[in-house]
Structure formats: structure tokens, C-alpha cells
Amino acid sequence: MTQQLALKVEGMTCGHCKAAVENALRQLSGVVAAEVDLGKKTVTVNYDPAQVSVEQMKEAIAEEGYDVVGEA
Ligand SMILES: [Cu+2]
């Protein structure tokens, strides 16, 4: 069973940022899909909560240099 979650992320400005955040999330096992919306400053993630935690996703985004400011 997968769940969907949207996180608000500060600092994403261009296609490079979009790709960096999406790829960081997709590399986590348990993440099925990740899609950034630059206009809304969100990333929508489809994931298996048995395999990956929201905390791990936030850490992966932070490691790329972006701040998760909350859930959208
Ligand atoms: Cu950028």
C-alpha cells in the first residue's frame, strides 16, 4: 500500500532544483514517485510507509540544500 504526501520546500527555483529534490527522494527505497511543483513550492511523494519515513524524506531533501518547512 502506498500513501501520498505533499511537502512544502523552500529554496527550489529552477529545473535543476526540481531534479535534485526529485532524484534525492526517488533514491530512497520505498519512494515510488516524486514530483516537484515549482510554482506551489511543493513536492508530492508517493511512498510505502512501511519502508520509508517522512523524516528520511526530509533529511534527503535537506542534504540537497533545501528546507522542508512543513506538509502542504
Ligand atoms: Cu535551481
Side-chain angles (χ1 to χ4, degrees), residues 7-72:
L7 296 171
K8 268 232 174 271
V9 181
E10 287 295 336
M12 301 188 296
T13 55
C14 69
H16 169 81
C17 301
K18 174 174 157 72
V21 169
E22 289 174 350
N23 289 335
L25 290 168
R26 288 171 184 159
Q27 280 170 20
L28 298 173
S29 61
V31 170
V32 179
E35 182 74 37
V36 166
D37 184 320
L38 286 175
K40 293 181 184 168
K41 298 181 178 178
T42 59
V43 58
T44 302
V45 190
N46 292 289
Y47 67 104
D48 177 356
Q51 290 187 62
V52 63
S53 69
V54 176
E55 205 52 45
Q56 285 174 296
M57 296 180 210
K58 289 180 178 176
E59 281 172 16
I61 295 169
E63 279 174 14
E64 295 298 320
Y66 306 98
D67 289 328
V68 178
V69 295
E71 293 183 17

